[in-house]
Amino acid sequence: MDEIERLLEELKFEVGGTDALKNTKEKIVLGTGNFAGNIMFIGDDNNLYIDENLKVKSGSSGEFLIKLCDIVGLSPDEYYITTLTKSEKNYRELEERDKRDLKEYLMMQISLMNPKIIVALGQDVAELLLDREFKFLQEKGTVLNWRGDIKILATYDANFAKKSRDDGGKRAKVAVDFWGDLKTVKNSIEEI
C-alpha cells in the first residue's frame, strides 16, 4: 500500500470517528472516481455516489452529474467526486464541532489529491472552501484562484440542477447553466 492510500485509510477512520458518525452504522466512503484526476467535485449531497467505483443510484443527482460530464467530454479518469460528510448525513445538519472536524478532513483530502480545479457544488460548499460569503449569482461559473495552483469554480448543487431540469419551465435554465459551468471546467482543464 503506498503512502497516499495509507493516509486515505487513516482519513476514513478519522471521519468515521467524528461525534456525528461514530455511533452510526453508516458506511464511510471518501469519494468516487479517479483520486489522481485533475478535477475534484465537492458536494453536500449523499446521492452523488454509492461506492468508490462511480456506482450511483438510478435517477440520482450523481447519475445526472456523471452523464453531464460524459456529454461535455470529461472522462471518469479526469475527476473525483466527494461530499462534505462522506456519509448519508448532510453537513448543514451537524453540530459545529463536527463541521469543523469534517472541514479539516476535507482539506487533508484536497491536499492529498492536489487537483487542478475544484468544483464546489452549491453555495454552502463554496462558502466553506472560500471562508467568505459567496455572492452566488454574481460569482457562479467563474474560475477563481484558490490556494496554491488550485482553481475553484462554484456552480449549482447537482440535485438542484437535476430537479430544475425535471421541473422544466423557467427553472430549466438552472440545468442549462450547470451544463455550461461543466463546459467551463472542461475548457479550464485544457488550458492549465
Side-chain angles (χ1 to χ4, degrees):
M1 182 184 292
D2 75 354
E3 185 67 10
I4 298 277
E5 287 179 17
R6 186 184 65 73
L7 291 169
L8 287 172
E9 279 303 312
E10 287 180 21
L11 185 61
K12 189 175 184 178
F13 177 79
E14 293 295 330
V15 168
T18 58
D19 288 343
L21 299 171
K22 68 181 173 188
N23 293 323
T24 67
K25 302 259 189 268
E26 291 190 38
K27 182 179 178 185
I28 305 299
V29 180
L30 293 181
T32 191
N34 181 10
F35 195 72
N38 290 322
I39 303 164
M40 181 182 227
F41 289 95
I42 304 172
D44 187 23
D45 175 359
N46 58 23
N47 287 308
L48 286 175
Y49 54 85
I50 296 173
D51 67 16
E52 293 89 355
N53 302 310
L54 287 174
K55 185 175 180 187
V56 293
K57 294 177 189 169
S58 179
S60 69
S61 53
E63 181 183 58
F64 177 72
L65 174 61
I66 291 169
K67 281 183 178 179
L68 284 182
C69 284
D70 289 344
I71 290 169
V72 300
L74 290 172
S75 80
D77 289 342
E78 295 180 272
Y79 60 83
Y80 182 78
I81 303 168
T82 191
T83 62
L84 298 176
T85 67
K86 321 309 186 221
S87 70
E88 294 287 321
K89 300 219 182 275
N90 284 44
Y91 186 82
R92 68 180 72 84
E93 297 167 358
L94 301 178
E95 300 291 327
E96 286 307 312
R97 179 177 175 201
D98 289 324
K99 287 180 178 180
R100 185 185 64 243
D101 290 347
L102 289 169
K103 180 181 179 182
E104 181 180 321
Y105 300 145
L106 175 65
M107 294 306 170
M108 282 188 242
Q109 188 180 22
I110 292 168
S111 177
L112 290 171
M113 181 177 170
N114 195 26
K116 290 192 180 350
I117 189 164
I118 293 173
V119 181
L121 299 171
Q123 182 168 353
D124 293 343
V125 177
E127 289 180 351
L128 176 97
L129 292 171
L130 295 168
D131 280 327
R132 66 172 173 84
E133 181 182 337
F134 185 76
K135 296 178 178 138
F136 194 79
L137 294 178
Q138 291 85 20
E139 297 181 275
K140 179 203 80 55
T142 304
V143 178
L144 306 169
N145 291 321
W146 188 56
R147 295 181 180 172
D149 293 333
I150 301 174
K151 309 282 187 204
I152 190 167
L153 177 141
T155 187
Y156 294 104
D157 171 76
N159 193 42
F160 179 69
K162 178 188 173 306
K163 285 180 178 176
S164 296
R165 183 216 51 198
D166 294 346
D167 290 347
K170 288 182 181 178
R171 290 188 59 198
K173 182 180 179 328
V174 168
V176 172
D177 288 348
F178 184 75
W179 180 61
D181 291 342
L182 292 180
K183 289 195 300 189
T184 299
V185 169
K186 170 73 173 165
N187 294 336
S188 296
I189 283 298
E190 290 172 355
E191 293 170 6
I192 294 176

